[in-house]
Amino acid sequence: MRTRQPATEQYNPLAVFIEGLSTLFYGMLVTWRNFWRPKVTVRYPYQRKPMPPRYRGLFYLKWNEEKQRLNCVGCTLCAQACPTDVISMVKLGKGTNAGVSEFTMDLGRCLFCNLCVEACPFDAIYMGPAYELASERRDAALFRIADLAQGGEEAVRTNIETVQRLMAEEEKARPAAGGHAG
Amino acid sequence: MSMPVSPEKQSTLSTVDILSQGMVINVGPQHPSTHGVLRLILTLDGEQILHCEPVIGYLHRGLEKMMERRPYRHNVPFTDRLDYLAALSNNLGICQCIERLGGVEVPERAQYIRVLLMELQRIASHLVFLGTFGTDLGATTMFLYAFRERELVLDLLEECTGARLTYNWIRVGGVPDDLPEGFGEKVLGFVKTFRQRLEEYDQLLTRNRIFRSRTQGIGILPKELALAYGTSGPVIRASGMAYDVRKAAPYEVYDRVEFDVPVHEQGDVWARYLVRMEEMRQSIRIIEQVLRDIPDGPVQTKLPKVFKPPAGIAYSRIESPRGELSFMMVSDGSPNPLRVHIRAPSFVNLSVLPSLLEGTKVADLVAILGSIDVVLGEIDR
């Protein structure tokens, strides 16, 4: 058990040498065969593989073109589903038409586990194909709403405007519908 | 060459017994052949290893304690970081445990998908073993070829799960999503290529005289010792013990698929290598059967938003690529587990290393350590 077992048969260095050499060439045949196979290497920064549709990369908040707003209503279900407290948000307004004015993700803590995406009942948060997220600065891992929203800064501004307008409309409609509610 | 000594002088020399105290050297924690942050304190007498003391804990994250502070299902992504070469096995282990705790049923299709992913994962994991083991013993070509084929498995898993290493694609009560369109054909295509590539590996490595000389008869682990230490997986199967959790206590649909458990009697590095090679072939067999038999249906059981299992203890064990991986959870009826314990196969398998290394040459250290195939993420937890 402790040391190399003694060879049972007569040790013949020449036979071993010849056998070793032959298996070496036998193995070289594999190398030779692979030499003619197509290359599998991707010359990465210049050449990229397409990402599969399910790829879990950088998050994005879905833009709803029809309603001119982000789908997110600020219900914090994703933040509750997150095991590492990545998500924080500021809710804008209340009720079914509410939105978010701030949505911050600290991806330095993120596990990319997909639990927030599965928790969302409003199809608001998704994981996209972007994967080059490494940085030399720690604060580069902090993604604010403008970095995450589809359409960027512009979309966030329109989103806030739309939600505020909806809130104002609701406010206006409430006394009329509720009658003398105080 | 030493000078010839006269018989009289020799007798006086032998009375002066110079005991070698042994030279102490450190291997690791940063060492390419330790496959992670494992530190080995070796006491050497020349080239012989007198004593080996593994030092672990450089990757300790307190995972079991972390799990006590989070709801059950939040713990699943953490298990990806245990055995990071077989993340899906860990996911399955913890999910099974939570399912047993809460009495959750898993749909049949989900069980088949789990088995399919498990076997793909086993192939990927054994390919890492094959590649790194080849490199350890000087066959760098093997590393390139094994990782080329592993890339194919990772591409398949990426397409299904969306991640390449930390998959987190097994949920309590099933799997989060069905297999993507045309996944079965792609897997069968891979299986076809892979079967042919396995032959090439045999030609390149298994038949290689140098490789055989460096592995045969090295680091022999007798069956009794393997049992006494509680080793599992390919390590114990290479020591002549036909123990596989998939057969001993079938989980998911492993009782419905046909496969053999490869067993070798020698217990040396060579046998452990052969067992893993054969296991990849058996995984292919399982994959083909699963793709043939997979039924239609739902893939997930709906669970309440706040999952509170009744008070009790649950224990689950699965056959991870490294051996018997088990989880034990204690519930007190609250949303968080009261206690989680993980039995990591690498940890138990590593404990046998000091007795394997005693009396061997330093040069065989990498071969023996590589053949146990430890993953430090799992050992330190």
Side-chain angles (χ1 to χ4, degrees), chain A residues 74-116:
Chain A
C75 66
T76 70
L77 274 179
C78 52
Q80 286 165 36
C82 180
T84 49
D85 290 338
V86 167
I87 305 168
S88 56
M89 62 183 87
V90 177
K91 192 167 180 163
L92 187 66
K94 50 183 182 243
T96 46
N97 284 326
V100 278
S101 58
E102 271 297 330
F103 192 97
T104 314
M105 294 186 91
D106 182 3
L107 292 192
R109 284 209 294 265
C110 185
L111 299 171
F112 291 87
C113 65
N114 209 35
L115 288 183
C116 52

Side-chain angles (χ1 to χ4, degrees), chain A residues 1 13 16 18 28 43 66 91 139 157:
Chain A
M1 161 205 166
V16 170
I18 291 168
M28 273 304 276
R43 299 177 64 236
E66 196 187 321
K91 192 167 180 163
D139 59 340
R157 216 176 306 121

Side-chain angles (χ1 to χ4, degrees), chain A residues 1-4 19-20 23 26-27 31 33-34 37 49 54-56 80-81 83 111 113 118, chain B residues 70 74 81 145 148 155 158 160-162 167-168 171 178 196-197 200 203-204 207 209 355 358:
Chain A
M1 161 205 166
R2 299 284 180 238
T3 45
R4 201 179 284 247
E19 193 209 338
T23 54
Y26 193 58
T31 319
R33 206 179 307 157
N34 278 290
R37 287 219 174 106
K49 276 185 167 178
R54 282 187 186 176
Y55 186 74
R56 308 210 298 255
Q80 286 165 36
L111 299 171
C113 65
E118 279 164 41
Chain B
R70 284 179 170 79
H74 283 194
R81 279 83 186 162
Y145 291 170
R148 180 187 61 194
D155 280 347
E158 186 186 17
C160 180
T161 68
Y167 306 101
N168 186 34
R171 297 282 185 277
D178 212 333
Q196 176 203 343
R197 298 287 160 88
E200 285 185 9
Q203 196 177 341
L204 188 69
R207 296 194 47 172
R209 176 73 213 186
S355 38
E358 231 167 78

Side-chain angles (χ1 to χ4, degrees), chain B residues 338-354:
Chain B
L338 188 70
R339 173 83 174 93
V340 182
H341 177 72
I342 305 162
R343 185 221 189 256
S346 294
F347 177 74
V348 183
N349 290 352
L350 181 74
S351 65
V352 87
L353 187 71

Side-chain angles (χ1 to χ4, degrees), chain B residues 70-222:
Chain B
R70 284 179 170 79
Y72 283 92
R73 282 174 290 176
H74 283 194
N75 293 328
V76 180
F78 293 132
T79 58
D80 283 336
R81 279 83 186 162
L82 279 172
D83 176 356
Y84 39 77
L85 296 177
L88 281 166
S89 308
N90 306 317
N91 292 163
L92 180 66
I94 193 168
C95 285
Q96 259 187 14
C97 192
I98 301 172
E99 279 156 10
R100 280 180 195 174
L101 205 54
V104 181
E105 289 285 317
V106 182
E108 206 183 353
R109 183 173 172 84
Q111 295 192 16
Y112 272 97
I113 293 176
R114 282 176 172 189
V115 170
L116 171 67
L117 293 176
M118 236 24 66
E119 295 309 315
L120 281 174
Q121 183 76 94
R122 194 182 311 279
I123 290 177
S125 176
H126 282 351
L127 279 173
V128 176
F129 158 78
L130 187 63
T132 51
F133 190 55
T135 324
D136 284 349
L137 297 180
T140 321
T141 325
M142 203 57 241
F143 177 80
L144 298 171
Y145 291 170
F147 269 61
R148 180 187 61 194
E149 264 69 79
R150 178 173 179 255
E151 191 67 21
L152 298 175
V153 190
L154 289 195
D155 280 347
L156 285 172
L157 288 173
E158 186 186 17
E159 199 186 324
C160 180
T161 68
R164 295 180 66 80
L165 204 64
T166 50
Y167 306 101
N168 186 34
W169 200 250
I170 304 228
R171 297 282 185 277
V172 180
V175 287
D177 211 341
D178 212 333
L179 297 174
E181 204 74 26
F183 188 69
E185 285 79 64
K186 279 184 191 166
V187 172
L188 285 178
F190 159 74
V191 161
K192 204 173 152 218
T193 346
F194 187 60
R195 192 171 269 139
Q196 176 203 343
R197 298 287 160 88
L198 270 173
E199 299 302 317
E200 285 185 9
Y201 300 160
D202 275 345
Q203 196 177 341
L204 188 69
L205 208 56
T206 316
R207 296 194 47 172
N208 190 302
R209 176 73 213 186
I210 302 166
F211 180 75
R212 279 163 64 162
S213 307
R214 288 212 58 189
T215 52
Q216 280 175 339
I218 308 278
I220 295 172
L221 176 65

Side-chain angles (χ1 to χ4, degrees), chain B residues 283-302:
Chain B
S283 289
I284 290 180
R285 266 180 78 189
I286 297 174
I287 287 171
E288 283 174 339
Q289 289 174 56
V290 165
L291 286 174
R292 191 191 63 207
D293 297 340
I294 191 163
D296 284 331
V299 292
Q300 203 178 13
T301 316
K302 265 266 174 266

